[in-house]
C-alpha cells in the first residue's frame, strides 16, 4: 500500500501490497465505524476540509454510493465524476484526466476502471491518495476488506475457517483480492468453479484448493462466497447455458447440504438470482450475510479514507 517512505498509507491499490498488520488495523478501525453508522447522528469531522473525487469509468451502484456515504460521514466534500459526461468520452487519455483532476487539488481519488492496472497507472500521475474501487479483473481491495470484516464479526475469527469461493473466478477482482486477504489471515480457501472459469495453476500460485464439483467443494465449509457470472468481461462463451450453469454451480439448499449446517452465505452483489444463486437461499435472513456485507462496506471505506488521510491531519 505504501509508496516508498512516509506517509505509510499513500494509496490503496490492492491487498497484495498491504502488510498483515495494516489489514488488521483497517478492520479494527472499521469495527468502530459500524457502531457510528447505526446512530442517528453519523457525522464526524475527521476529513473536514478535504476533497474526495469518485471517478468511476464503470457503472456501479453499491460501491460508489458506499464511498460517497463514507466520505460524507467523515466530513469530506465529495464529488462524483460520471464518465458518461466526462472528457474521456471526447477522447481525453486517462493520464490527461488524472492530471486535470490533480490540478484541482483533491485529497483522495476513488477510481474504478475496466482495465487491470489502470488505477495504479493513474496513481503515478497525481499528488493525492488513490483508492482502487476495482480495476478490471485485477483487484477490489475494499470489497475483500468488507468481506473480511463481515466474516470476523459473524464468526468471531478468520483463522482456520474453510472458505469456498465459487463461480466466475477467472474474471473476478473480488475473488483475487479475497484469496490474497483470507489466506493472509489464515483461512483455508477453496476455489469452486468449472474449468473454463478457473485459470490453471491458481492452487499453486495462491496456496488454495481447487474443486470443479460444488458438493465436494462445499463439504465442511464455514463460508460460501458466491460470485456473479461476469459476462461483460467474457469474450465468447464460457458456459454452455445459464440453465446448465445454475444446475451445476448455482447455490441451492440441496448443494449446501454438504457445507456446515451454520455455513454463512455471501455475495458481493449485484446478484443474478437463478444463475449463480437461488433467490430463496440469498434471502434467508439467518444464513445469508449479503446485506451485512453492504453495511460493512461503508464502515470499511470510512476506515480506508481515515487511514489514508491521517498524515494530512498530522501536518502542521
Ligand atoms: C463486484 C465488482 O464490481 O467487482 N461488485 C461490487 O463491487 N459490489 C462484483 C461484480 O460486479 O460482480
Amino acid at each position: 500500500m505504501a509508496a516508498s517512505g512516509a506517509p505509510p498509507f499513500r494509496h490503496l491499490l490492492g491487498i497484495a501490497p498491504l502488510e498483515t498488520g495494516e489489514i488488521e488495523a483497517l478492520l479494527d478501525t472499521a469495527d468502530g465505524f459500524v457502531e457510528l453508522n447505526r446512530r442517528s447522528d453519523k457525522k464526524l469531522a475527521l476529513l473536514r476540509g478535504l476533497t474526495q473525487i469518485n471517478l468511476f469509468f464503470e457503472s456501479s451502484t453499491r460501491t460508489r454510493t458506499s464511498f460517497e456515504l463514507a466520505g460524507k460521514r467523515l466530513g469530506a466534500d465529495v464529488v462524483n465524476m460520471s464518465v458518461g459526461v466526462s472528457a474521456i468520452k471526447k477522447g481525453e487519455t486517462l493520464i490527461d484526466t488524472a492530471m486535470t483532476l490533480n490540478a484541482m487539488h483533491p485529497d483522495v481519488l476513488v477510481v474504478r476502471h475496466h482495465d487491470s492496472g489502470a488505477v495504479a497507472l493513474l496513481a503515478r500521475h497525481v499528488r493525492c491518495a488513490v483508492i482502487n474501487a476495482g480495476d478490471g479483473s485485477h483487484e477490489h481491495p475494499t470489497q475483500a476488506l468488507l468481506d473480511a470484516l463481515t466474516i470476523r464479526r459473524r464468526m468471531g475469527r478468520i483463522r482456520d475457517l474453510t472458505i469456498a469461493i465459487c463461480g466466475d473466478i477467472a474474471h473476478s477482482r473480488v475473488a483475487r483480492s479475497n484469496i490474497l486477504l483470507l489466506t493472509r489471515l489464515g483461512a483455508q480457501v477453496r476455489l469452486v468453479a468449472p474449468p473454463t472459469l478457473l485459470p490453471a495453476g491458481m492452487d499453486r500460485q495462491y496456496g488454495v484448493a481447487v474443486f470443479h464439483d460444488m458438493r465436494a467443494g462445499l463439504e465442511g465449509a464455514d463460508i460460501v462466497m458466491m460470485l456473479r457470472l461476469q459476462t461483460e468481461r467474457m469474450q465468447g462463451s464460457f458456459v454452455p447455458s445459464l440453465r446448465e450453469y445454475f444446475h451445476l454451480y448455482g447455490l441451492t439448499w440441496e448443494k449446501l447440504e454438504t457445507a456446515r449446517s451454520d455455513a454463512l452465505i455471501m455475495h458481493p452483489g449485484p446478484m443474478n438470482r437463478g444463475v449463480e444463486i437461488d433467490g430463496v437461499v440469498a434471502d434467508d435472513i439467518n444464513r445469508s450475510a449479503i446485506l451485512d456485507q453492504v453495511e460493512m462496506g461503508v464502515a470499511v471505506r470510512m476506515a480506508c479514507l481515515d487511514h489514508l488521510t491521517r498524515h494530512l491531519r498530522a501536518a502542521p
Side-chain angles (χ1 to χ4, degrees), residues 62-63 112 140 143 173-174 228 230 268-270:
R62 77 203 69 216
T63 305
R112 169 170 283 193
H140 190 355
Q143 179 69 44
R173 51 198 178 207
V174 175
R228 184 174 65 89
Q230 306 205 9

Side-chain angles (χ1 to χ4, degrees), residues 44-228:
L44 294 181
L46 290 174
L47 267 68
R48 204 169 78 193
L50 301 187
T51 301
Q52 171 189 335
I53 301 182
N54 296 334
L55 179 60
F56 278 61
F57 293 92
E58 253 186 13
S59 64
S60 161
T61 312
R62 77 203 69 216
T63 305
R64 211 192 69 175
T65 312
S66 182
F67 269 112
E68 184 175 352
L69 279 178
K72 286 182 170 166
R73 287 187 184 167
L74 294 180
D77 292 317
V78 183
V79 178
N80 290 311
M81 257 201 64
S82 160
V83 166
V85 293
S86 81
I88 287 275
K89 286 269 172 205
K90 300 180 186 168
E92 185 174 85
T93 67
L94 181 64
I95 308 291
D96 283 333
T97 303
M99 284 164 55
T100 302
L101 292 176
N102 189 53
M104 298 180 199
H105 298 287
D107 301 286
V108 184
L109 272 176
V110 177
V111 187
R112 169 170 283 193
H113 197 282
H114 40 81
D115 289 333
S116 304
V119 181
L121 176 69
L122 186 143
R124 287 204 288 275
H125 292 84
V126 294
R127 292 179 54 79
C128 69
V130 174
I131 300 181
N132 181 3
D135 64 324
S137 52
H138 175 230
E139 279 231 41
H140 190 355
T142 58
Q143 179 69 44
L145 288 162
L146 75 86
D147 289 337
L149 184 63
T150 305
I151 296 170
R152 211 175 75 162
R153 288 175 66 99
R154 288 283 286 248
M155 311 295 277
R157 69 185 210 282
I158 290 175
R159 180 159 298 283
D160 295 331
L161 291 180
T162 298
I163 303 178
I165 304 179
C166 315
D168 186 358
I169 312 280
H171 302 96
S172 178
R173 51 198 178 207
V174 175
R176 221 161 304 279
S177 290
N178 262 308
I179 293 165
L180 291 167
L181 192 157
L182 295 169
T183 53
R184 188 88 68 76
L185 295 189
Q188 308 292 321
V189 175
R190 297 176 183 173
L191 305 182
V192 188
T196 49
L197 293 176
L198 213 163
M202 284 189 84
D203 45 355
R204 271 171 284 116
Q205 189 180 353
Y206 294 104
V208 295
V210 161
F211 294 82
H212 298 306
D213 177 80
M214 275 288 267
R215 285 179 188 77
L218 298 193
E219 196 167 344
D222 299 284
I223 309 279
V224 180
M225 191 182 283
M226 300 307 300
L227 299 172
R228 184 174 65 89

